[in-house]
Amino acid sequence: MGKFQLGEFEEIVMLTVGVLYGEAYGVSIKKEIESRLQRNVSVGALQSALNRLETKGYLQSEEGGSTSERGGRPKRFFKITAQGKRAIEDTKEMRNQLYNAIPNIALDVKFA
Amino acid sequence: MKSSPFRFSQRLLRWFCDPKLHPSIEGDLLELFEEQTTSKGVKRAKWQFLWEVIKLFRPGIIKSFTGNQRLNQMGMIKNYIKIGWRNVMNQKQFSGINIIGLTIGISACLLILCYVYNEVSYDKYHSKLDRMYRVLHAYGESESPTAEEYQVWGSAPAGPTITNKFPEVENFCRFTSPSIFLLENDTKKFQEDNIMFADSSTFEMFSWRILAGDPQTMLTAPNSIVLTESMAIKYFGTENALGKTLVADHTEQLKVTGVMEDVPSQSQFSFDALISMTSFYNMRPKIFISWGYVDFYTYLLLDEHASLENLREKTKVIYDEMDESDRHSLDYEPMKGAYLNSVAARQPGPVGSLTNVYMLSCIGVFILLIACVNFINLATARSVERAKEVGVRKTLGALKIDLTFQFLAESILIALFSSILAIGVVSLVIPYFHYLVGKPVAFEGLLTTKYFLLYAGLSIFIGLLAGLYPAWVLSKFKPTQVLKGKFKSSRNGSQLRRGLVVFQFCLAIMLVIATTVVYNQLQYMQNKDKGFTQDQMIVVDFGWDNAVQSRIRLLKDKYSAHPDVISISASRAVPGDFFPNAGTGIENPFGEIQYHAPGIYEIDEDFVPNFEIEMAAGRSFSKEFVNDSIEALMINEASLSLYGYSSAEEIIGKKFSQWGRKGKIIGVVKDFNYKSLHAKIEPLTLRFGQNRELRRVAIKVRSMRMQETIAELESIWNNLIPERPFNFVFLDQSFNQHYQSDIRFGRLFSAFALIAIIIACLGLFGLTVYATEQRAKEIGIRKVLGATIPSIMKLISQEFLVLVLIAAVIAIPISWFGMSNWLMSFAHRMTLSLGSFILPTLCIAVIAISTIGWQIVATARRNPVDVIKDE
């Protein structure tokens, strides 16, 4: 427990990279998060999260070939590593445990 | 059409972004940009791009500042400091010598800096100083008088005339020379001799702080007096003296209209109070339209664009307006820097000496150099010890530049440390320095950021100066040589060390010689025959008090009857005092009346015998000649050539006219020195003083019991003249006041010379310690082979004495040249004898020997076993 630590945003980024399997690079991840979660993501926040996750070893990146689009700049594609997979699973597990531990009465809230 | 984002936003990104991440991030941004140009328009997209770039400025994306190179350097600097500190602690003796030497040196320099700063910042507190000028005048009809012929004071009409005639002159302000008053307030009664009359414009031009009263009007009405703070306290016990009244000379009521701060010590004149010029005008209105009466210090305020040259040229017009007998040339002198630069006579207050400032600055530099030389010597001498360290560092990859930097860092550290210590030393010492200089020296003026930075810069400079050569030498070592152990201190190095010791002692010897000469000259001046007697002479100043003047005959009779009084005379001035000059016409050998302005002494018939002044020709005033008091004049020998005579006899009986008196010359006195011996004896006339022209009596006493005699003289005085306090001085003391600044300078000079010698000896001591340690084995072996202690002492001391001798050979001619130049500023100077050069040199040699002596003795007496047992 607690071996893997993922921040909220980091978790979202990890999951999105997973969702976009094979097609996850800066712009696509940004758009995916924006469209699915209805929230704005700045390039800065995303890039620093990606970097962080890569140094932690949860993500792995590789540069794609450069095309004439994007001013000839390459795309950097991200993949979830084995450790990364364990990290999201672990996080999910922890959530579930917590969720299950909530007594039913507490959730039995009546909304007027 | 393809649009692109702001170029600078891309450049900005490239500047801070980690180069590994940069291409892909930029790609992402560009992709987004293109999308946005279509959806939101180019303009918004561009700004959006920039905004995203700015938001990228966060850790993780920014490239690291500190490349590997830098990190390494920081570590090395830490290491340098650590090694430096260990070195200091490891070699306490040498470090001590270095730090003490540098600290003393820097402290001395700092003190000198304070003094020099003090001297050059005279009058600077006046906010209009840059535009203020003094009026000078030179009496006589000379077309272009020399700078020395000018006098600072002038006549009353000069100020108003110049201001009215020339538009660039904004304002003028006149002061009279100090007058003497007896001031009374109820019970308090003092004789004041430093009060001046001043124009109402005084406080518009000069920036003295006003404590009470209206600066615009306080010197306007007649009989107004402005007191300085200490005067207000003296008479009224409080600073709040405004509106109160003082009685001057029993009659005049003076109303206190203002109180000002005491005149700051850095001023070209000092006074205790100012009385409105209108009061003086009411007393003697005629002199305010006379070009002939000269007693006014006139200051002008020029407007910003005025040209002094222009004004000088225009001023020549005024010359023609004067009466023939009063004609004189006018000139101007900037008030700024007048304290140090003015050569004109009749200064309103003390003047500084530029030579002295230069000489002291020289000493300061010398002291610093000597201290630096110590550092260089000890550092290079000990280079062998650090050679291994250098070798190891080089083997491990240190570059020469790194090592240079290391050693420089060490020396700069030591210099900075010494500088901080020096500030402490100076703040402790400065109260005593006041005594040495004879006036308060402001340290505070130097406590500004500007000077602080200067000081820090100077410390680093000293560190560099002292450390550059050692650093260069040390960093040059070849690792293969030093690590093999074949290394020896180079011949060049010891050659240089010797050179530096010679240099050091050269400076020290020069300073000692200079000190000796300065002292001898002062002695010479004080002991020189002045042409009059000054011993056992009591002078009572009664300030023209009518109460005394009317009873002067009676007073002289009473005093003459006293058994201890030898003789007594009355006069306006006695030698050393202030005296006026008078336009005097005397018939020259061709029968024409020629006008000059010699000094004037008003004396009675007893003056010449009382002061034992000798006559060169003719006779002195005498009671037997009734008309002496109205138609006779004496002159001194110096006046002869002024009027074209070569012998004293010729001038006897010639006609003269002076200050409304006409008659014949009756006698010529031999020159006696009535001013300080700095100045040549100048032309002087002596005329008979009427009672109302007398101010002082000089009483020559013969007494073994001076205290009682003075008490008796005082009680006679008090019985006879209760109105006036018995205000006396001893003539020799008051005359020697003229040498006060010389004496102080001598003291100052010798104190710093002493410091220089101490530092030089400190260095020599360090070198001896080092040399004897290095040669300990050699000495041990010599002893084993039969050398005696004296022969070993001779061996080591010889080496150093030769250096001192060489230093002497170099120093003597230089100081001979320097000191003969210095002596030129004295009219009466001693002759430079070889003795004043040999003696100081011997003195230095003895000091040097005693410095190194005990160390050498200790080494020579060591048991050889102790030093040669280990190898």
Side-chain angles (χ1 to χ4, degrees):
Chain A
M1 273 301 145
K3 210 164 85 190
F4 303 99
Q5 285 194 345
L6 278 180
E8 188 261 348
F9 186 63
E10 284 174 339
E11 192 187 347
I12 291 170
V13 171
M14 290 282 289
L15 292 169
T16 317
V17 169
V19 170
L20 288 169
Y21 179 75
E23 280 301 320
Y25 73 98
V27 178
S28 65
I29 301 171
K30 179 171 142 76
K31 282 189 185 152
E32 191 70 23
I33 298 175
E34 278 171 355
S35 67
R36 278 181 190 266
L37 301 180
Q38 305 294 316
R39 65 190 257 186
N40 266 329
V41 178
S42 76
V43 179
L46 178 64
Q47 286 292 345
S48 72
L50 286 170
N51 261 330
R52 229 164 25 236
L53 290 169
E54 195 175 2
T55 34
K56 282 180 185 171
Y58 299 161
L59 291 178
Q60 199 183 357
S61 72
E62 101 187 68
E63 287 198 351
S66 48
T67 54
S68 60
E69 288 157 26
R70 296 163 52 95
R73 306 284 186 270
K75 289 175 183 170
R76 196 146 70 107
F77 291 103
F78 289 86
K79 267 199 313 220
I80 298 179
T81 61
Q83 209 182 358
K85 184 164 172 271
R86 235 178 293 149
I88 40 178
E89 278 168 358
D90 196 68
T91 315
K92 188 183 166 203
E93 184 62 26
M94 192 174 68
R95 289 222 176 150
N96 286 343
Q97 273 178 21
L98 281 171
Y99 185 82
N100 294 336
I102 300 173
N104 279 341
I105 190 88
L107 289 173
D108 197 15
V109 180
K110 293 216 169 63
F111 293 96
Chain B
M1 182 194 79
K2 193 157 166 122
S3 54
S4 56
F6 296 122
R7 276 188 63 188
F8 73 89
S9 49
Q10 267 172 292
R11 220 180 288 162
L12 179 70
L13 180 69
R14 194 173 311 140
W15 175 66
F16 71 74
C17 186
D18 190 333
K20 271 186 290 185
L21 302 177
H22 177 250
S24 63
I25 291 181
E26 199 181 35
D28 285 0
L29 289 174
L30 286 171
E31 190 180 334
L32 287 170
F33 174 77
E34 265 161 44
E35 245 168 66
Q36 285 186 344
T37 39
T38 45
S39 64
K40 291 176 180 165
V42 183
K43 216 172 172 186
R44 277 208 48 193
K46 279 185 181 181
W47 285 108
Q48 188 67 36
F49 187 94
L50 178 63
W51 182 229
E52 290 289 356
V53 168
I54 289 168
K55 279 196 289 187
L56 272 163
F57 193 79
R58 53 170 80 208
I61 306 228
I62 299 172
K63 62 182 167 194
S64 60
F65 300 102
T66 47
N68 289 341
Q69 195 70 18
R70 292 241 179 153
L71 278 172
N72 210 353
Q73 288 287 326
M74 284 309 289
M76 285 314 286
I77 288 172
K78 270 192 213 158
N79 178 269
Y80 294 159
I81 293 172
K82 189 184 273 175
I83 297 290
W85 175 247
R86 282 180 188 166
N87 247 308
V88 168
M89 295 317 285
N90 193 21
Q91 297 282 344
K92 290 203 179 68
Q93 198 173 21
F94 291 112
S95 318
I97 289 174
N98 269 340
I99 292 176
I100 293 172
L102 270 182
T103 306
I104 298 177
I106 296 174
S107 312
C109 271
L110 212 55
L111 286 175
I112 291 175
L113 191 68
C114 282
Y115 176 80
V116 171
Y117 176 80
N118 217 50
E119 290 293 285
V120 299
S121 52
Y122 260 68
D123 297 313
K124 285 231 171 107
Y125 58 91
H126 294 300
S127 56
K128 295 172 184 165
L129 182 67
D130 288 340
R131 296 193 283 133
M132 285 161 82
Y133 292 83
R134 312 198 293 200
V135 177
L136 309 182
H137 100 294
Y139 191 85
E141 301 187 7
S142 161
E143 267 301 299
S144 50
T146 62
E148 283 81 10
E149 279 177 64
Y150 275 105
Q151 302 184 334
V152 179
W153 61 359
S155 52
T161 311
I162 292 165
T163 311
N164 288 337
K165 268 195 162 42
F166 310 120
E168 63 261 52
V169 182
E170 281 182 11
N171 209 342
F172 72 93
C173 178
R174 292 167 299 184
F175 298 91
T176 60
S177 54
S179 308
I180 185 162
F181 290 100
L182 185 71
L183 287 187
E184 276 173 272
N185 166 44
D186 298 336
T187 53
K188 288 174 183 156
K189 184 184 205 175
F190 301 101
Q191 177 167 317
E192 299 294 345
D193 49 12
N194 203 7
I195 297 180
M196 311 199 292
F197 292 97
D199 273 320
S200 57
S201 54
T202 304
F203 297 105
E204 278 168 44
M205 288 176 57
F206 296 87
S207 310
W208 292 303
R209 203 156 40 86
I210 304 299
L211 304 177
D214 176 11
Q216 301 288 326
T217 59
M218 60 168 100
L219 281 174
T220 313
N223 289 10
S224 310
I225 185 167
V226 173
L227 300 179
T228 55
E229 195 181 355
S230 51
M231 280 283 276
I233 291 169
K234 182 170 163 189
Y235 282 95
F236 302 104
T238 155
E239 293 156 39
N240 189 14
L242 208 61
K244 303 209 167 106
T245 312
L246 283 170
V247 179
D249 295 337
H250 317 301
T251 49
E252 298 285 331
Q253 302 269 330
L254 296 176
K255 193 176 165 213
V256 179
T257 51
V259 180
M260 59 176 279
E261 64 172 333
D262 287 352
V263 180
S265 58
Q266 288 167 304
S267 298
Q268 57 177 271
F269 41 33
S270 64
F271 49 80
D272 296 327
L274 294 174
I275 302 178
S276 54
M277 191 61 85
T278 42
S279 333
F280 193 42
Y281 179 83
N282 288 348
M283 275 185 243
R284 305 177 69 179
K286 271 190 193 157
I287 59 177
F288 280 82
I289 49 165
S290 154
W291 287 96
Y293 181 91
V294 172
D295 186 27
F296 293 89
Y297 293 104
T298 308
Y299 289 79
L300 298 180
L301 183 68
L302 267 53
D303 71 23
E304 270 147 34
H305 313 293
S307 138
L308 190 59
E309 279 312 309
N310 232 333
L311 187 62
R312 266 194 193 125
E313 202 52 41
K314 287 199 263 182
T315 305
K316 291 188 177 152
V317 191
I318 299 178
Y319 186 80
D320 302 321
E321 291 177 13
M322 303 176 196
D323 292 336
E324 201 177 336
S325 62
D326 297 334
R327 274 204 181 140
H328 55 259
S329 316
L330 292 174
D331 196 5
Y332 308 97
E333 175 175 81
M335 190 171 144
K336 186 181 182 181
Y339 172 77
L340 280 179
N341 297 320
S342 179
V343 291
R346 294 290 184 190
Q347 294 284 339
V351 284
S353 157
L354 207 57
T355 332
N356 290 1
V357 167
Y358 282 138
M359 278 178 87
L360 272 179
S361 313
C362 275
I363 299 189
V365 174
F366 280 12
I367 289 179
L368 213 55
L369 281 179
I370 292 177
C372 286
V373 164
N374 276 353
F375 190 97
I376 297 172
N377 267 343
L378 290 179
T380 48
R382 289 178 45 229
S383 59
V384 187
E385 283 153 38
R386 299 198 68 177
K388 283 231 164 77
E389 182 192 334
V390 173
V392 171
R393 277 181 189 272
K394 278 200 168 172
T395 315
L396 292 177
L399 299 174
K400 199 174 154 181
I401 186 90
D402 298 328
L403 287 165
T404 312
F405 186 71
Q406 176 192 347
F407 291 116
L408 279 183
E410 258 176 47
S411 66
I412 289 174
L413 269 183
I414 289 179
L416 282 176
F417 185 63
S418 304
S419 308
I420 293 167
L421 278 183
I423 291 184
V425 170
V426 168
S427 48
L428 283 178
V429 161
I430 206 135
Y432 304 99
F433 192 57
H434 288 190
Y435 157 76
L436 204 61
V437 177
K439 57 186 170 192
V441 172
F443 185 41
E444 292 72 29
L446 291 169
L447 289 180
T448 55
T449 326
K450 191 175 111 197
Y451 281 97
F452 191 76
L453 286 177
L454 186 82
Y455 187 61
L458 207 71
S459 318
I460 291 173
F461 174 73
I462 293 169
L464 282 175
L465 190 70
L468 210 56
Y469 179 74
W472 182 66
V473 168
L474 285 167
S475 61
K476 233 174 38 176
F477 291 152
K478 293 203 175 68
T480 43
Q481 272 182 13
V482 287
L483 291 181
K484 263 183 173 170
K486 276 187 182 169
F487 176 77
K488 274 212 162 162
S489 153
S490 73
R491 203 177 158 70
N492 280 345
S494 58
Q495 225 44 295
L496 178 102
R497 256 189 326 274
R498 290 204 193 100
L500 287 175
V501 169
V502 168
F503 173 68
Q504 237 179 354
F505 273 84
C506 231
L507 298 182
I509 291 172
M510 275 154 67
L511 286 179
V512 178
I513 290 177
T515 315
T516 323
V517 173
V518 168
Y519 251 101
N520 286 349
Q521 169 67 15
L522 291 178
Q523 285 297 320
Y524 172 83
M525 286 202 303
Q526 282 174 47
N527 297 334
K528 189 181 181 337
D529 178 23
K530 298 180 181 70
F532 66 90
T533 177
Q534 61 172 11
D535 301 329
Q536 306 271 60
M537 187 76 93
I538 295 168
V539 177
V540 184
D541 183 348
F542 54 86
W544 286 291
D545 193 330
N546 190 37
V548 186
Q549 285 170 342
S550 59
R551 273 166 272 182
I552 199 97
R553 294 275 137 214
L554 192 59
L555 185 75
K556 279 172 77 175
D557 289 344
K558 287 256 179 199
Y559 272 166
S560 300
H562 190 278
D564 286 339
V565 173
I566 302 171
S567 56
I568 176 169
S569 67
S571 57
R572 175 169 181 171
V574 296
D577 280 334
F578 175 85
F579 58 92
N581 287 37
T584 307
I586 296 178
E587 188 184 354
N588 67 10
F590 312 105
E592 298 156 4
I593 298 283
Q594 206 172 325
Y595 283 95
H596 291 284
I600 177 167
Y601 262 39
E602 284 156 298
I603 59 173
D604 69 358
E605 70 280 357
D606 295 320
F607 184 87
V608 171
N610 189 26
F611 280 90
E612 295 171 29
I613 297 166
E614 289 175 48
M615 299 298 295
R619 60 174 180 86
S620 172
F621 299 126
S622 163
K623 271 185 199 161
E624 290 156 31
F625 296 83
V626 191
N627 287 344
D628 271 3
S629 62
I630 48 165
E631 54 175 41
L633 187 73
M634 287 196 284
I635 60 166
N636 69 351
E637 282 179 305
S639 313
L640 290 174
S641 59
L642 189 67
Y643 290 97
Y645 290 93
S646 53
S647 85
E649 281 77 17
E650 291 171 32
I651 203 168
I652 304 291
K654 298 289 180 190
K655 279 186 254 167
F656 80 91
S657 89
Q658 177 191 58
W659 277 3
R661 223 180 259 184
K662 280 189 162 77
K664 300 220 162 90
I665 307 282
I666 59 158
V668 178
V669 298
K670 285 202 168 157
D671 282 344
F672 64 98
N673 211 293
Y674 56 94
K675 288 204 260 181
S676 98
L677 288 165
H678 265 292
K680 285 208 306 279
I681 296 176
E682 279 163 21
L684 181 73
T685 60
L686 301 105
R687 69 193 226 143
F688 197 90
Q690 306 293 354
N691 275 359
R692 64 182 163 76
E693 288 154 356
L694 300 176
R695 172 174 171 177
R696 291 179 172 89
V697 289
I699 309 155
K700 189 157 65 183
V701 294
R702 157 207 328 115
S703 181
M704 292 293 114
R705 32 168 218 125
M706 196 52 98
Q707 296 286 331
E708 291 85 347
T709 309
I710 289 172
E712 284 159 27
L713 292 179
E714 180 164 12
S715 80
I716 296 173
W717 180 282
N718 288 341
N719 282 335
L720 201 63
I721 308 154
E723 298 92 335
R724 171 67 63 169
F726 181 75
N727 235 331
F728 77 96
V729 290
F730 288 104
L731 181 61
D732 50 354
Q733 282 172 12
S734 70
F735 195 81
N736 283 344
Q737 288 289 319
H738 292 275
Y739 304 115
Q740 273 309 311
S741 63
D742 291 316
I743 290 169
R744 283 196 202 107
F745 177 67
R747 274 208 300 252
L748 207 59
F749 201 91
S750 45
F752 284 112
L754 189 69
I755 289 174
I757 294 165
I758 289 175
I759 300 177
C761 286
L762 212 58
L764 192 65
F765 174 73
L767 271 188
T768 332
V769 170
Y770 175 76
T772 48
E773 257 171 37
Q774 284 297 104
R775 299 174 69 176
K777 275 195 183 130
E778 179 197 329
I779 292 164
I781 291 166
R782 277 175 191 272
K783 279 186 85 174
V784 169
L785 294 178
T788 58
I789 292 178
S791 72
I792 286 172
M793 283 164 62
K794 201 178 135 211
L795 176 80
I796 305 177
S797 53
Q798 224 172 20
E799 195 179 316
F800 289 104
L801 283 181
V802 166
L803 299 184
V804 173
L805 206 69
I806 296 174
V809 169
I810 301 172
I812 289 177
I814 298 177
S815 40
W816 184 292
F817 177 74
M819 291 324 286
S820 22
N821 255 344
W822 180 74
L823 282 174
M824 296 304 257
S825 72
F826 293 88
H828 302 264
R829 47 184 177 262
M830 59 174 228
T831 43
L832 280 175
S833 67
L834 210 59
S836 36
F837 293 88
I838 302 295
L839 236 70
T841 313
L842 281 180
C843 175
I844 286 274
V846 168
I847 294 173
I849 292 174
S850 40
T851 310
I852 59 180
W854 69 269
Q855 181 65 31
I856 292 176
V857 171
T859 319
R861 290 182 59 181
R862 245 152 131 195
N863 190 343
V865 173
D866 295 336
V867 279
I868 39 180
K869 66 181 176 196
D870 56 348
E871 182 64 48

